[in-house]
Amino acid sequence: MAGFKFERQLPHQEGAINAVMGVFNDVSAVPHERPADRAIANPLLAIDSELWIDNVIRIQERNLIDSSNSKFRDNHSRVLDISMETGTGKTYTYTKTLFELNKHFGLTKFIVVVPSLSIKAGTVNFLRSDAAKEHFRQDYGMDMKIHVLESKKGTGKSKRSFMPPSVSQFVQAGHISQKCINILVVNAGMLHSPTMEETFDVSIFEQYHTPMDALKSVNVVTVVDEPHRFKTTGQYWKSVEKLNSQFVLRYGATFDYDYKNLIYELTAADAFNNDLVKGVVAHVEDFKEGENASVKLTHLDGNEARFELSEGAGNKVSKKSFKLGAKESLSIVHTEMAGLYIEKLNKTVVVLSNGLELKKGARINPYSFSMSLQSKMIAQAVSKHFELERDYLTRDVRIKPLSLFFIDNIEEYRSASHEIGGELKAEFEALVKVEIEQRLKTETDAFYKAYLEKSLVDLAAVHGGYFSKDNTGSDDKIAKEVEEILHDKESLLSLGNTRRFIFSKWTLREGWDNPNVFQICKLRSSGSQTSKLQEVGRGLRLPVNEYMSRVKDESFDLHYYVDFTESSFVDDLVDEVNERSRALDEEFSKLTPELIEKILRDYKNVKTEDDLLEQLDNAGIIKRNNDFREGGFDALKSLFPLVFEGGVSKGKIRKNTDKALRAHLRKGRYEELKALWEKINKRVILEYRVDDESEFEGLLLAFFKKNKDNFKPQGSKTRNQRLKVKDGQAYFSEETKLNENILPIVSMGYKSFLLALSAQLSININTLHKVFSSINGWLDINHYLSRQTIRLIKGGFDKFLLDNSFDAVKVSYQQVSNQVHPTKFTNSKGKPLKEINAHDLGTNFDEQITPESYLFEETFFDSPLEKANILNDIEAVVIFTKIPKNSIRIPVAGGGTYSPDFAYIVKNKEAKDQLNLVVETKDKETRALYEEEKKKISHAEEFFKSLDSDIDVMFKTQFEGEEITKVIESCFE
C-alpha cells in the first residue's frame, strides 16, 4: 500500500509523453532472436531515416518548435530532447514514457543515466517507491524491476572475477516473467569507469565478458537525466554512446543550447505562469558593514592557497595577503570566517569545509559568514514559518510546510562526537520556543493548538539534519533523522510528526526535493555564479496535502533567504527564466516567420498561421505583404505581450520588500454587485441523498470491489540464481519464490483502525464493520491496519464518490449559515475592500484599460479567453467581475471545492428584468474536458439551482471559440 498519489494525465506531462510516442508513429517492432542461451533483448524498432526525419519534423511543428532551425534538429542523430523545467515531474514523465514504449512495442530493457550519486539516490528512491510501483501497475498491469549499477566492492576470497550483479541480472532478466520492465540506473562516473570495459572471468552466456558488451547486446533504450551535465564533446557522453542504444531520450531543464532533436519544451516561464511550480519570494538580508569587504583567491600551487583581503572604499582601501594550507582556518584571513577552514586543495581548486569550491579569481565576502547576520536570517525564517504553518494547518484539508536551512559549520549544529549540540542549535530551539509560546496564548484552532503543544514538549523533535558525515556515524537518533529526511517523505509530512525544520550543508542541493518545502534559508555565500533556478529547485514543486495529493488550482510561494552578497538574486533569477523562454526584444518592420512561430507557441488559442494572418489583417495591423502598417508593431505587442516580455508574469518572482501585485476595486461599484455576491457566498454543505445507512454500505462495497486488486499481499520475493548446463552451454537460471504468508506491516488495532477510518469517511463504524465482514472472503482488512491504509482508502473513496456523483450518488446542497462576510471582496463587516491580491484574479497582466462596468481597474487573467471577456465592453452589462480563485468554494462530492470564473449582472433589452449570471470559462473545447472537470460543472449547476429564490442566479459555461456576448444572449432566448 502506498501513500503518495500521482495525478494522471497532467497536460504538461502528457504533452511530453505524446511527443516521444509521436516520433514512432507508423513504426513496427521486429522481435529479436531469443535462443535459450542468449540474453532476452528488446525488439528492434524498424524506423528508417526518412520516416524518422518526417516524424520528428511533424512533432516539432505540432509543438511549435522551429523544425527548419538546425539548432533544434539533427537528421543523423537518434537522440530525442525533452525540455521540462525543474519541479514539473521529469522523472515521472520519463518513467511513464518507458511504460508506453513497453505497451506499444514490447520494450522491456531501459537504462537511466544520471550525472551524480545524489541524483542517482533520488531517482532510485522514486522508482522503487511503493507509490510509483502501484501507480504504474494500476495503469499498465506491469511491474518494474530496478537494477542499480554500483562501484565494485572488495572481491573477497574468490580468485575468479564476476560481472557486476546488477548488469548480469539486467541483461538476463526476462526468463521468469514478461510482466515486468527492467530499468538499470547508473551514474555518469560509474558508466565511464574502467569497470565497464573490464574483462571478467565469469561471463554472461559464455559470450559477453565485459559489462559494456553485455549491455550493448540487449538493444537498450537509454534515458539521460540533466543533459547539460553530459556535454556532447565530453567523456561521459562518449560512454553513453558506447551503449549503442536504439535511441536516447534526454530530459532536462536546460540543454545549454546543445540540442539534437528537440521535440517538446516546457520553459521556466511556462511553469511559473501556469502555476505548475511555486512562485519565489526572496528575502535579502542587508548588512552595511560588509559592503566593501572581499576575500579573493589569488594563487594556487597545490600545497598552499594565497588569499587577498580587501576592506574599505575609495582612497581608503587596504589590502592584505595570506597563505593557507589544507585544514587551516580562514579566521586567519578574517575573524568573521571563524569555523571555516580549507578541506582540501590542488592546483586548480580550493574546497572549503562548507562545501564551497573556489577557483583562482573567486571572491567571497567574509561578513556573509557572520553569526550575527545568520542569526537575523534564522529568526526571520522561523517567524515566517509559523505564519505559513498557521495558515496551512488550520485549513479543512491541511498542508504541512517544511523549512530548509543550509548551514556552513556542522559543529554549530552537531558536535564532533555526533551528539546533538552546538550554539546554532541552541539558538534555533530558543527562537522556536518563544514563537510557540507566544502563539499558544491566542491560538483558537483545536488541531493546531495541540500540534504546537506537542512541539513545545519536545523541541529537539521539531528539527533534524543530514550531513555527509552522518553516513559514517552510529548514533541511532541521527540515523532515524537521516532516513526520514532522505527516504521517507510520507513520514516527514505526517501531521503526527512535529519535525518540520531541516538543516543540511548543501548536501541536499541536487537529487533531493520535498514538495512541501516552503522556505529555504541559505546561511552561506554562493561564491560562484550557479544557476538560480537550480538553487531554488529543491522547493519549487507544488505541495501535497495531508492525504498525499497534490494541491492545485492555487498559487503558492517559496520563500528564499539570502544575504546582502546576493542582493541581485531576484533580477538574476528573472533574467535566467526569461532567457530560457527565448523572448524577442528587437524591433520588427514586418511579420516574420520567427514572430509567427512565437505567437503560435505562446498563444494556444491561435490555432494556425492562416487564423493569425486573418486576425491581424482584420485589425489593420499588417499589409498584404505582411509589412506592419503605421503603429502595427505596437498593436501586435499589445495583443501578444508574452512574445516580447519574456514570459514570466510580474510578481511570480519578487523580493519580500516588493509590494505584492494588487487589483483595485472601482470605487462605488461593489454595491451594484452586492446582492449577487452575498447570495453566491452563502455557506453551504453538500449532502448525499441516501435513504439510509445501507445505501452508503452499498457504495462502500462497490468501491472495494472495484479496487480489490490494490490490496494484493505484498510478499517478499526471493530470487535464486543457479548456474546450469544445457547442451554443453552454461547459463544462469533464475528461480522466484513468493512468500505469500509474509504480511504487510500492521500498526493499529482493528477498533482504533475503524474509529479513525470512520472519522475520515464520515461513515458509521458499524457500517464499516459490516462491509469488512462481507468482503472478508477476498480481502482480510486485518492485514492492512495502518494509517497509510486509511489515507489510501480515504483518497480512493473520495475519487469514487466524485466519479459516481449524479449517477450512483445523488447530491444536494443545504445552507448552514447566514454568515457571508468576510469574503474576497469584503471585510468581516461587509464593507468593500479597496484592493485584493492580483494573483487571485490571474497570473497574467495586461496594461489595457478595463471597461467601466468591470469591478477592477486592472486586467489580470489566466487565459486569453478570460482576457477577452474582461476587455469586452457589453452595453447590457451593469457590472461584472472575475471571481477570485477559491472564493466561492462550492463543495463537491468526495471533498474539495470548486469556484467558477465570472459573475455578471445584465439588463435585458427592455431593461425590465435583471439577470444574475455566473459563468464557468474553459479555454478549451468541450470534448477536451477531463471527467473531473465535467463533474465539478455538474456540481455548480446543482448548487445554483439550490439557492433561495429571492434572487435567481443562472449558471452558464463558456468554451473555446465562444464569445461571452453570445453566452449572455443565450440567457434571454
Side-chain angles (χ1 to χ4, degrees):
M1 300 289 289
F4 273 94
K5 298 172 188 174
F6 299 102
E7 282 194 271
R8 290 171 167 83
Q9 297 182 323
L10 291 176
H12 68 280
Q13 295 173 347
E14 290 298 302
I17 295 165
N18 293 337
V20 173
M21 299 307 297
V23 171
F24 300 102
N25 190 40
D26 294 329
V27 173
S28 58
V30 179
H32 188 75
E33 293 288 334
R34 295 181 176 177
D37 60 346
R38 290 287 305 265
I40 295 181
N42 279 330
L44 292 168
L45 300 191
I47 179 169
D48 59 33
S49 296
E50 184 178 354
L51 181 58
W52 172 270
I53 294 169
D54 288 346
N55 284 351
V56 167
I57 291 174
R58 180 172 53 82
I59 297 301
Q60 287 183 327
E61 290 177 347
R62 186 177 78 189
N63 289 328
L64 305 176
I65 296 167
D66 186 1
S67 61
S68 65
N69 192 329
S70 60
K71 290 190 300 184
F72 304 137
R73 186 162 60 85
D74 182 349
N75 294 342
H76 304 291
S77 172
R78 291 300 173 99
V79 176
L80 300 175
D81 293 332
I82 301 92
S83 177
M84 297 179 69
E85 196 46 63
T86 300
T88 57
K90 286 192 283 92
T91 308
Y92 174 91
T93 301
Y94 70 62
T95 304
K96 184 172 180 179
T97 303
L98 303 188
F99 276 98
E100 285 290 318
L101 289 167
N102 169 267
K103 175 182 176 180
H104 291 280
F105 302 111
L107 303 178
T108 62
K109 302 285 178 74
F110 305 96
I111 296 178
V112 175
V113 187
V114 298
S116 67
L117 291 173
S118 55
I119 293 179
K120 180 181 180 181
T123 301
V124 171
N125 284 342
F126 171 86
L127 294 173
R128 283 181 171 169
S129 69
D130 291 340
K133 287 185 174 181
E134 186 59 31
H135 174 83
F136 291 115
R137 187 183 297 130
Q138 289 175 11
D139 284 358
Y140 295 95
M142 296 282 291
D143 290 312
M144 54 179 167
K145 170 65 178 174
I146 310 307
H147 311 262
V148 183
L149 184 54
E150 308 282 11
S151 58
K152 284 197 304 181
K153 302 295 189 291
T155 57
K157 297 180 180 179
S158 175
K159 294 182 179 180
R160 306 185 76 195
S161 59
F162 292 82
M163 192 83 70
S166 57
V167 173
S168 299
Q169 293 164 9
F170 174 77
V171 171
Q172 297 175 99
H175 288 284
I176 300 300
S177 172
Q178 297 300 315
K179 301 294 287 182
C180 179
I181 69 169
N182 290 271
I183 302 175
L184 176 67
V185 183
V186 57
N187 57 291
M190 185 65 215
L191 186 63
H192 184 66
S193 70
T195 299
M196 299 305 294
E197 305 288 353
E198 184 177 344
T199 300
F200 290 90
D201 297 331
V202 179
S203 62
I204 298 178
F205 306 123
E206 293 293 326
Q207 186 169 1
Y208 307 113
H209 297 272
T210 73
M212 189 63 77
D213 285 341
L215 294 176
K216 287 192 291 187
S217 73
V218 292
N219 304 328
V220 296
V221 171
T222 298
V223 170
V224 173
D225 196 4
E226 305 286 0
H228 69 286
R229 302 278 291 275
F230 295 82
K231 304 294 185 186
T232 52
T233 55
Q235 58 187 13
Y236 290 154
W237 180 250
K238 287 181 172 57
S239 296
V240 171
E241 291 181 319
K242 286 182 181 179
L243 292 169
N244 284 354
S245 308
Q246 293 195 59
F247 53 92
V248 178
L249 307 175
R250 300 194 301 176
Y251 290 79
T254 179
F255 289 75
D256 289 341
Y257 298 100
D258 183 15
Y259 299 105
K260 293 297 184 180
N261 293 290
L262 179 63
I263 58 172
Y264 182 80
E265 187 173 31
L266 177 71
T267 68
D270 294 332
F272 280 109
N273 292 344
N274 295 317
D275 286 333
L276 301 178
V277 294
K278 298 186 185 91
V280 178
V281 178
H283 301 251
V284 182
E285 189 61 48
D286 291 327
F287 201 71
K288 297 295 183 183
E289 294 93 327
E291 285 183 348
N292 299 310
S294 70
V295 174
K296 179 181 179 182
L297 176 60
T298 59
H299 181 73
L300 276 169
D301 62 10
N303 296 313
E304 287 185 326
R306 185 182 303 157
F307 293 92
E308 181 182 79
L309 170 65
S310 298
E311 291 186 291
N315 297 325
K316 298 182 179 180
V317 175
S318 65
K319 294 186 178 183
K320 298 178 182 178
S321 291
F322 303 86
K323 292 181 180 180
L324 277 70
K327 306 304 178 182
E328 287 196 80
S329 173
L330 269 76
S331 62
I332 297 171
V333 180
H334 200 288
T335 56
E336 292 292 351
M337 292 192 287
L340 192 64
Y341 60 89
I342 294 177
E343 182 75 45
K344 56 185 176 180
L345 76 163
N346 54 37
K347 293 183 179 181
T348 59
V349 66
V350 170
V351 180
L352 303 184
S353 57
N354 64 356
L356 185 63
E357 295 184 1
L358 302 177
K359 295 182 179 180
K360 184 178 177 181
R363 294 177 183 268
I364 55 178
N365 190 300
Y367 286 96
S368 66
F369 302 93
S370 165
M371 284 305 298
S372 58
L373 174 65
Q374 294 185 4
S375 295
K376 290 174 68 177
M377 293 172 67
I378 292 173
Q380 188 181 13
V382 167
S383 177
K384 185 65 179 180
H385 176 94
F386 281 99
E387 178 186 326
L388 294 169
E389 184 175 273
R390 206 276 166 188
D391 178 20
Y392 294 136
L393 288 184
T394 56
R395 296 180 170 203
D396 293 336
V397 180
R398 302 179 182 94
I399 300 170
K400 179 183 175 181
L402 305 177
S403 290
L404 178 59
F405 293 84
F406 289 124
I407 63 176
D408 287 305
N409 189 347
I410 300 175
E411 307 307 325
E412 289 294 330
Y413 185 76
R414 290 194 178 133
S415 69
S417 62
H418 264 203
E419 297 173 354
I420 300 294
E423 293 179 13
L424 185 147
K425 179 248 182 186
E427 178 185 351
F428 169 78
E429 288 189 357
L431 286 169
V432 171
K433 183 174 184 291
V434 170
E435 190 73 36
I436 292 176
E437 288 174 339
Q438 290 298 315
R439 289 185 173 273
L440 281 173
K441 292 177 182 178
T442 57
E443 186 53 59
T444 57
D445 183 87
F447 172 84
Y448 188 49
K449 186 174 184 179
Y451 188 73
L452 291 175
E453 289 171 340
K454 183 179 179 181
S455 302
L456 194 58
V457 170
D458 188 0
L459 289 172
V462 307
H463 62 96
Y466 170 63
F467 306 93
S468 56
K469 73 176 186 179
D470 290 336
N471 298 323
T472 60
S474 58
D475 187 291
D476 290 340
K477 185 174 182 180
I478 291 177
K480 181 181 177 181
E481 283 181 21
V482 171
E483 174 63 23
E484 187 174 85
I485 292 168
L486 290 185
H487 306 301
D488 196 350
K489 291 181 182 178
E490 188 178 347
S491 174
L492 187 59
L493 295 180
S494 168
L495 297 181
N497 183 353
T498 61
R499 181 172 289 125
R500 63 266 217 194
F501 299 100
I502 302 169
F503 287 83
S504 189
K505 183 188 163 186
W506 243 188
T507 313
L508 299 179
R509 180 172 50 184
E510 60 178 23
W512 181 94
D513 61 66
N514 190 297
N516 285 26
V517 170
F518 280 84
Q519 295 200 119
I520 297 178
C521 188
K522 184 180 167 189
L523 303 174
R524 52 149 288 174
S525 171
S526 290
S528 62
Q529 292 300 314
T530 56
S531 164
K532 301 307 177 189
L533 269 171
Q534 180 182 330
E535 287 190 13
V536 300
R538 301 309 98 215
L540 282 183
R541 293 187 185 277
L542 293 181
V544 296
N545 59 29
E546 59 184 304
Y547 304 116
M548 302 297 129
S549 294
R550 191 173 74 107
V551 184
K552 54 184 180 179
D553 299 328
E554 184 174 353
S555 295
F556 294 97
D557 286 323
L558 168 69
H559 294 265
Y560 200 79
Y561 298 80
V562 293
D563 64 35
F564 68 100
T565 62
E566 297 189 64
S567 58
S568 63
F569 180 89
V570 168
D571 292 337
D572 292 342
L573 180 55
V574 169
D575 287 345
E576 186 176 347
V577 170
N578 287 344
E579 181 183 357
R580 290 192 186 183
S581 73
R582 298 201 294 271
L584 304 174
D585 57 2
E586 57 193 280
E587 292 289 325
F588 289 83
S589 60
K590 70 180 301 175
L591 187 68
T592 64
E594 183 183 15
L595 274 172
I596 293 171
E597 177 202 344
K598 282 290 292 178
I599 292 171
L600 294 176
R601 172 195 172 88
D602 294 338
Y603 290 87
K604 305 300 183 186
N605 61 318
V606 183
K607 294 299 184 183
T608 66
E609 180 177 341
D610 287 342
D611 291 340
L612 174 63
L613 294 175
E614 183 178 359
Q615 178 182 347
L616 298 182
D617 186 38
N618 291 338
I621 292 175
I622 58 172
K623 301 176 183 178
R624 295 271 178 164
N625 62 355
N626 284 0
D627 285 349
F628 287 116
R629 297 182 184 276
E630 185 176 349
F633 181 57
D634 290 335
L636 183 82
K637 290 167 65 176
S638 178
L639 274 178
F640 305 108
L642 294 182
V643 173
F644 304 93
E645 292 177 358
V648 66
S649 299
K650 295 180 181 178
K652 292 301 290 183
I653 302 171
R654 67 182 194 276
K655 289 184 181 179
N656 69 305
T657 52
D658 295 341
K659 287 186 177 180
L661 290 176
R662 311 296 289 177
H664 298 84
L665 281 74
R666 278 196 164 89
K667 191 173 182 179
R669 298 311 304 268
Y670 170 74
E671 290 300 318
E672 298 169 284
L673 187 72
K674 179 179 178 180
L676 172 60
W677 186 248
E678 291 184 345
K679 171 62 67 175
I680 62 179
N681 272 276
K682 289 285 180 66
R683 304 292 193 264
V684 299
I685 59 171
L686 179 141
E687 294 181 333
Y688 298 104
R689 298 211 304 267
V690 294
D691 295 331
D692 51 42
E693 190 70 18
S694 64
E695 202 167 329
F696 243 114
E697 180 183 335
L699 289 171
L700 198 56
L701 273 170
F703 163 73
F704 279 113
K705 287 178 180 178
K706 182 179 180 181
N707 293 278
K708 63 181 180 180
D709 289 343
N710 295 345
F711 292 83
K712 293 177 183 176
Q714 300 295 314
S716 65
K717 290 183 179 179
T718 302
R719 172 169 291 163
N720 297 317
Q721 290 191 323
R722 297 181 183 272
L723 184 64
K724 295 186 176 183
V725 178
K726 182 177 181 180
D727 298 330
Q729 296 291 323
Y731 66 97
F732 277 101
S733 172
E734 292 183 354
E735 300 173 353
T736 302
K737 185 181 294 183
L738 178 64
N739 301 323
E740 293 182 320
N741 293 325
I742 298 177
L743 305 176
I745 296 173
V746 175
S747 60
M748 303 176 70
Y750 181 64
K751 184 176 181 180
S752 59
F753 176 84
L754 285 184
L755 286 170
L757 185 59
S758 173
Q760 289 291 337
L761 299 183
S762 299
I763 295 178
N764 186 286
I765 191 171
N766 294 322
T767 301
L768 290 175
H769 176 65
K770 288 174 66 177
V771 169
F772 289 135
S773 297
S774 66
I775 65 176
N776 191 54
W778 47 269
L779 173 61
D780 186 352
I781 198 63
N782 289 293
H783 296 169
Y784 301 94
L785 303 180
S786 69
R787 295 282 177 186
Q788 194 175 42
T789 302
I790 291 171
R791 284 195 294 270
L792 194 70
I793 293 176
K794 164 66 174 171
F797 191 58
D798 284 349
K799 187 177 187 306
F800 179 82
L801 289 175
L802 179 59
D803 290 345
N804 291 277
S805 58
F806 301 99
D807 298 322
V809 184
K810 304 300 182 185
V811 301
S812 62
Y813 290 94
Q814 181 67 40
Q815 184 174 322
V816 294
S817 171
N818 288 322
Q819 179 184 348
V820 172
H821 306 288
T823 70
K824 287 282 188 176
F825 292 164
T826 58
N827 62 21
S828 58
K829 295 181 179 180
K831 299 295 183 183
L833 303 173
K834 293 182 179 180
E835 60 184 24
I836 70 168
N837 188 334
H839 284 293
D840 283 338
L841 295 178
T843 57
N844 298 313
F845 172 74
D846 191 281
E847 294 182 353
Q848 293 189 63
I849 299 173
T850 60
E852 285 295 320
S853 55
Y854 188 58
L855 183 62
F856 293 95
E857 296 177 358
E858 298 87 1
T859 306
F860 290 96
F861 59 96
D862 286 315
S863 70
L865 187 56
E866 287 187 358
K867 176 184 172 182
N869 288 354
I870 293 170
L871 297 178
N872 196 337
D873 192 1
I874 303 173
E875 183 179 358
V877 172
V878 177
I879 184 74
F880 75 107
T881 184
K882 176 88 189 295
I883 297 174
K885 294 176 183 176
N886 301 309
S887 58
I888 304 301
R889 302 182 73 85
I890 300 170
V892 298
T897 59
Y898 169 72
S899 188
D901 295 304
F902 286 92
Y904 285 84
I905 293 178
V906 186
K907 293 285 187 181
N908 71 1
K909 295 179 180 179
E910 288 75 29
K912 293 179 180 179
D913 300 315
Q914 176 175 293
L915 169 68
N916 300 288
L917 174 65
V918 174
V919 179
E920 168 64 22
T921 298
K922 294 286 187 187
D923 203 355
K924 58 172 70 173
E925 297 178 2
T926 311
R927 61 185 176 85
L929 288 181
Y930 297 122
E931 284 302 314
E932 182 178 337
E933 292 176 310
K934 294 177 183 177
K935 290 293 184 182
K936 288 184 175 181
I937 289 174
S938 296
H939 280 79
E941 291 170 343
E942 183 67 26
F943 168 77
F944 288 110
K945 288 179 187 176
S946 71
L947 295 177
D948 295 337
S949 59
D950 56 327
I951 296 180
D952 292 328
V953 181
M954 186 175 291
F955 176 74
K956 288 282 189 177
T957 53
Q958 177 194 19
F959 297 104
E960 181 184 36
E962 292 184 285
E963 291 185 11
I964 191 62
T965 308
K966 299 297 183 184
V967 174
I968 293 174
E969 288 176 353
S970 70
C971 298
F972 295 100
E973 293 176 354

